[in-house]
Amino acid sequence: MKLPSHGSNPSYLYQAFEIPLPDKIIDFSVNLNPFGPPLKIKESWSAWLPLIEDYPDPHGTELIQLISETEGIDTENILLGNGAAELISLVLNYLAEKHIGIIQPAFSEYEKAARANRCHVTYIHLPKDNWSLDAETLSGKLDSLDALFFCNPNNPTGISYSSAILLDMLKVCEKHHCYLIIDEAFLDFLEDGQSLSHFITESNYLIILRSLTKMYAIAGLRLGFLMTNQKLLEKLQRMQPHWNVNALALEAGKAALKDKDYVYQTKLYVRKERERMIYELKHLGYQLSESKVNFYLLRDPSLHNQSPLIHYLMQKGIVPRHTENYPGLNGRWLRFAVRQQDDNNILLEALTAWKQES
Ligand SMILES: Cc1ncc(COP(=O)(O)O)c(C=O)c1O
């Protein structure tokens, strides 16, 4: 049975488990804003249509300017990508054949892109089921590495690490002449988001990745950006295809970044729903990760591998994200998105029934 390597597109998971696709499904396997794209994007869609007749701005100047203002970072330090996924591939293309460390568990595309670029991959595992991190322990593991990938807030655990820890990590990496690549695809969901973005000009070794597809629910459009020092950025830019970001994504990005209230309201709602779900689910006897974002890990401690629970939920049309391809988790956990209240209640009911029936 070959399981899909990502969340979303749930029909592939149904195929893999040989479960007939129910008429109605609720997809908890994809971690996007539960409210969908901001209203401005939906309302402007037809007005933007004429843009597809011409080539998009290859430099994305207006969007970069807006990111620069939002982040307080110079435009020369910002590079747009066709989703953060393109930027992960780009960085690993630049680091082809080098020694890459990945702090696990983490998003699977780091390893995939590293292997596609003939890199040597080393896993650095966070302690099982608590996923704490300290830079000192890391230090001994960096000797042979050229770059280290770290996802903060972490996908799949949802745990966020403080800027003090991140700064210690950066210092350790610099001492070892090792790039530190921090993927902040879910930073927008944190209420006290801590980023090292302001260190990019001082450091020769820091790269920060961001995605706009999560907070603004535009995964189908593809949009992300990278922040690093100007010298490295120019080298990366030369390796990118021209027109890598399409015209509609550029417009949507501009509209999204202007809608600060949407981000604020989303964070409040997601926190309330996440805290409610975690409280209720712990009460039912489930184990949960200490997530601070729009998804969390859950396991029924009476099962080693969670497959029976996946089957049970999928038959009811509830789609979790399996964790078979997350090194260190290996199917012992399931990941769920925080969705809107009605959907979360349906999940809660199903997980209550599972406990009563099993
Ligand atoms: C941690 C992480 N980084 C990057 C990405 C890719 O984001 P994008 O949709 O911007 O390519 C994902 C997508 O799931 C992700 O989970």
Side-chain angles (χ1 to χ4, degrees):
M1 175 172 65
K2 173 111 177 60
L3 292 176
S5 52
H6 291 287
S8 181
N9 312 120
S11 60
Y12 291 112
L13 195 66
Y14 276 90
Q15 251 172 41
F17 277 108
E18 295 177 3
I19 301 173
L21 196 64
D23 289 340
K24 186 175 176 306
I25 52 175
I26 308 178
D27 187 4
F28 287 87
S29 75
V30 61
N31 301 333
L32 303 174
N33 188 318
F35 294 106
L39 194 60
K40 177 78 180 162
I41 294 183
K42 295 184 202 163
E43 282 175 354
S44 310
W45 198 246
S46 44
W48 292 341
L49 208 56
L51 292 170
I52 67 170
E53 276 180 37
D54 199 1
Y55 284 92
D57 174 359
H59 311 295
T61 304
E62 288 178 15
L63 178 57
I64 288 192
Q65 183 59 42
L66 205 53
I67 295 172
S68 161
E69 287 159 22
T70 311
E71 298 293 328
I73 298 288
D74 285 345
T75 53
E76 296 79 34
N77 299 109
I78 300 165
L79 185 64
L80 296 181
N82 194 275
E86 187 217 342
L87 298 165
I88 293 168
S89 290
L90 177 70
V91 170
L92 284 155
N93 196 353
Y94 175 73
L95 295 169
E97 302 187 10
K98 301 280 192 209
H99 287 80
I100 307 296
I102 303 175
I103 297 187
Q104 296 283 11
F107 185 47
S108 61
E109 287 299 306
Y110 314 144
E111 178 168 1
K112 187 172 163 229
R115 298 211 183 276
N117 287 289
R118 304 167 306 286
C119 296
H120 309 270
V121 176
T122 303
Y123 293 164
I124 298 174
H125 287 283
L126 294 174
K128 191 173 161 192
D129 297 359
N130 102 28
W131 305 291
S132 62
L133 174 70
D134 79 279
E136 240 172 76
T137 327
L138 259 187
S139 181
K141 302 184 176 166
L142 296 183
D143 280 340
S144 56
L145 295 182
D146 299 297
L148 179 65
F149 270 81
F150 180 53
C151 187
N152 183 52
N154 180 275
N155 176 11
T157 66
I159 291 174
S160 133
Y161 298 86
S162 71
S163 53
I165 292 179
L166 300 176
L167 205 50
D168 284 349
M169 274 175 83
L170 179 61
K171 285 186 195 146
V172 169
C173 284
E174 286 180 333
K175 216 168 95 194
H176 288 80
H177 304 290
C178 173
Y179 287 106
L180 174 62
I181 299 127
I182 307 182
D183 179 350
E184 298 181 342
F186 292 97
L187 189 91
D188 289 339
F189 289 93
L190 284 183
E191 282 175 284
D192 58 346
Q194 305 202 338
S195 171
L196 292 192
S197 54
H198 289 279
F199 288 87
I200 48 164
T201 44
E202 290 175 25
S203 177
N204 290 326
Y205 291 98
L206 180 61
I207 302 176
I208 293 184
L209 303 172
R210 293 276 180 85
S211 169
L212 276 81
T213 70
K214 316 291 184 193
M215 173 51 80
Y216 302 106
I218 51 169
L221 266 183
R222 320 299 306 124
L223 187 60
F225 62 96
L226 170 158
M227 295 179 278
T228 192
N229 66 75
Q230 201 179 344
K231 213 164 121 199
L232 177 57
L233 188 134
E234 281 166 10
K235 288 186 199 164
L236 292 170
Q237 193 166 32
R238 270 182 244 130
M239 297 168 70
Q240 268 188 322
H242 213 66
W243 306 299
N244 63 321
V245 180
N246 72 72
L248 296 173
L250 290 175
E251 284 312 305
K254 285 187 276 176
L257 286 179
K258 284 176 192 160
D259 198 345
K260 304 259 188 288
D261 190 53
Y262 174 81
V263 175
Y264 176 74
Q265 298 299 342
T266 298
K267 282 187 204 188
L268 284 185
Y269 186 91
V270 166
R271 170 163 55 88
K272 210 168 111 247
E273 278 302 289
R274 182 190 63 239
E275 286 178 353
R276 180 177 75 91
M277 290 300 283
I278 290 182
Y279 174 84
E280 297 286 351
L281 292 166
K282 275 188 180 166
H283 201 65
L284 289 172
Y286 290 98
Q287 213 177 322
L288 288 114
S289 62
E290 292 300 322
S291 170
K292 294 282 179 279
V293 290
N294 60 323
F295 54 86
Y296 50 88
L297 286 179
L298 169 144
R299 67 187 299 271
D300 179 342
S302 67
L303 298 171
H304 181 72
N305 185 291
Q306 305 292 305
S307 271
L309 179 53
I310 298 192
H311 272 263
Y312 178 82
L313 292 173
M314 285 178 63
Q315 272 157 355
K316 290 177 178 281
I318 294 173
V319 188
R321 167 71 160 93
H322 74 84
T323 61
E324 298 288 348
N325 64 334
Y326 283 110
L329 300 188
N330 312 95
R332 292 179 50 254
W333 291 86
L334 298 177
R335 195 192 69 196
F336 293 90
V338 176
R339 295 182 55 99
Q340 291 196 34
Q341 193 179 43
D342 288 355
D343 288 348
N344 295 333
N345 285 343
I346 291 172
L347 174 62
L348 205 50
E349 261 170 48
L351 287 169
T352 306
W354 164 260
K355 279 288 185 189
Q356 285 162 353
E357 290 165 30
S358 60

